[in-house]
Amino acid sequence: MADFKPEVVGVVGAGRFGLTISMMLSHNVSVLLYTRSQDTVEQINHEHSYMGLTLPDNIKAVNDIEYLCSECKLIYPVLPSEVFRSVMQEFAPYLHPYHVLIHATKGFDLINADLDAFLPRIKRRNIRTMSELIREWTQVVRIGCLSGPNLSSEILRGLPAATVVASEYDEVIEMGYRTLSNPQFKIYASHDLIGTELAGALKNIIAIGAGMIAGLDLGKNAEAFFLTRGLREMFLIGKALGGNSRTFFGTAGVGDLIATATSPESRNFQFGYRLAQGKTKDEIEAELNELTEGVRTVRIMYHLSNTYQLDTPIVEMLHAIIFHGLSIKKAIQYLMDYPYSSDVDFLYE
């Protein structure tokens, strides 16, 4: 793809991370940022600012799907998982095999978007990653994902960061590199698309628990213990869902886990932290004002782990805390008493 020289790249979703991706792209290309809101379009285009960010002139907002797809060969969907399917259905008539989509969504979709319809026996066939949704609902062939330790606030401050662009196609990885790379943003490549998506989604679960530990001021020893055992559960679930085990020990796996599970700037960490302060799920969601992907993922993975009889006590305890009001201290004691047999037994299962 040495001749690939995009002039305009699309971004779908004007949330915090959608804006961050747009800002990164603007170093190399012009950006069309899609949002449904006409008010948002007008604010961005007239004031060149949104959500407290000053935006460069080469970011233009639009709410015309057909126009975006006609102007942009490469598009980055940056959407909450719960709306990803419906947005892809809206875009489907305007997406063609020549388009390339690299999504940046860390979560799962359910076939009919109704979790309760599958409880309590969710199976792999009942869930989709975002790349699977794109393939299922559009004509797009060349699909990738962007995933890694990418806290928006740090990226926007110009602090060093790295990410993974994963795809089955080398040309997609090359497109991601050429449009996103800059001296402060390192791009790594992976051909394990599913594993990279799984790692990005599953670490959100562990980040919620890490926030609880911080909220209770239990110390770094407890944090390290929890993250290590949490990585084990990410590995077991990811392997059961078809991801490459090695991916969980790279930038998109343990790298993303460290950033998300140790930073107060992470929504998932904040959710757990505020739970530890005695707030309810509904209160926290109202305060954060954006979807906490890990909460939905906990519920899905709890039932999937039961279906496949996976040994995931952390997922079990987080589900009990969030959805059934179990005391966090009782959950921690349960994990301390849990009969782990070996430190890295999961690597050999």
Side-chain angles (χ1 to χ4, degrees):
M1 293 300 293
D3 60 344
F4 173 68
K5 297 178 181 178
E7 295 181 356
V8 183
V9 170
V11 174
V12 181
R16 189 73 177 182
F17 199 55
L19 289 172
T20 302
I21 294 298
S22 298
M23 295 282 279
M24 298 298 291
L25 291 167
S26 71
H27 292 289
N28 302 308
V29 295
S30 294
V31 178
L32 286 181
L33 174 61
Y34 173 81
T35 173
R36 286 193 178 105
S37 169
Q38 181 61 34
D39 290 341
T40 300
V41 169
E42 292 178 0
Q43 180 177 348
I44 290 174
N45 293 341
H46 295 159
E47 301 176 17
H48 300 292
S49 68
Y50 188 59
M51 295 178 70
L53 297 176
T54 299
L55 306 177
D57 292 344
N58 65 342
I59 296 177
K60 177 184 176 182
V62 298
N63 61 359
D64 185 330
I65 296 174
E66 184 175 8
Y67 176 72
L68 180 90
C69 294
S70 67
E71 292 293 311
C72 304
K73 175 181 178 181
L74 173 60
I75 299 172
Y76 287 84
V78 190
L79 301 159
S81 62
E82 65 179 3
V83 303
F84 201 98
R85 176 186 291 268
S86 63
V87 174
M88 285 301 102
Q89 289 171 335
E90 291 181 55
F91 271 71
Y94 310 104
L95 291 171
H96 304 283
Y98 61 76
H99 281 107
V100 175
L101 265 62
I102 302 175
H103 78 82
T105 299
K106 298 176 179 180
F108 296 101
D109 173 81
L110 291 167
I111 283 182
N112 66 358
D114 181 5
L115 180 57
D116 293 323
F118 297 122
L119 298 181
R121 297 192 63 80
I122 296 177
K123 296 184 179 180
R124 177 63 174 93
R125 66 173 180 264
N126 301 132
I127 65 175
R128 298 286 187 273
T129 67
M130 302 305 109
S131 71
E132 291 169 339
L133 273 185
I134 295 169
R135 190 170 287 112
E136 184 175 311
W137 285 99
T138 76
Q139 299 181 64
V140 177
V141 176
R142 291 170 296 172
I143 302 167
C145 82
L146 175 75
S147 188
N150 299 150
L151 297 169
S152 294
S153 59
E154 294 188 7
I155 293 173
L156 292 170
R157 295 202 303 271
L159 300 178
T163 196
V164 173
V165 175
S167 177
E168 300 165 5
Y169 297 91
D170 288 335
E171 60 193 291
V172 175
I173 296 171
E174 178 71 8
M175 288 181 182
Y177 174 81
R178 286 177 176 250
T179 56
L180 281 171
S181 182
N182 68 55
Q184 297 300 108
F185 199 58
K186 175 74 173 178
I187 309 294
Y188 288 101
S190 173
H191 291 105
D192 181 21
L193 175 57
I194 295 296
T196 301
E197 291 180 289
L198 294 174
L202 294 172
K203 55 83 186 170
N204 287 331
I205 297 175
I206 309 307
I208 291 175
M212 294 179 189
I213 289 172
L216 293 176
D217 197 23
L218 296 181
K220 288 296 180 182
N221 287 334
E223 178 185 61
F225 163 67
F226 183 81
L227 294 185
T228 304
R229 304 319 294 179
L231 180 62
R232 169 188 176 274
E233 297 194 17
M234 289 171 56
F235 180 96
L236 292 178
I237 297 172
K239 187 176 178 181
L241 293 177
N244 187 317
S245 302
R246 291 178 297 179
T247 300
F248 289 84
F249 297 95
T251 304
V254 68
D256 200 3
L257 174 64
I258 291 169
T260 309
T262 62
S263 173
E265 297 180 2
S266 157
R267 282 196 304 276
N268 292 285
F269 178 97
Q270 274 295 325
F271 186 93
Y273 189 93
R274 297 183 192 200
L275 273 180
Q277 301 299 307
K279 296 183 178 180
T280 67
K281 171 180 172 292
D282 292 341
E283 288 172 341
I284 299 168
E285 289 178 341
E287 290 174 354
L288 294 178
N289 201 32
E290 277 192 63
L291 176 72
T292 303
E293 287 282 5
V295 174
R296 188 165 179 264
T297 304
V298 164
R299 194 173 183 212
I300 295 172
M301 290 303 107
Y302 169 75
H303 292 286
L304 186 137
S305 294
N306 284 344
T307 298
Y308 292 110
Q309 298 183 326
L310 302 178
D311 184 24
T312 55
I314 289 176
V315 172
E316 179 183 349
M317 288 298 98
L318 289 174
H319 185 269
I321 292 166
I322 295 170
F323 296 102
H324 299 292
L326 178 68
S327 159
I328 296 175
K329 291 184 178 180
K330 287 184 178 179
I332 291 171
Q333 192 58 53
Y334 175 85
L335 294 175
M336 293 298 294
D337 293 338
Y338 196 79
Y340 292 117
S341 56
S342 300
D343 186 26
V344 291
D345 56 313
F346 61 97
L347 290 175
Y348 310 104
E349 293 178 358

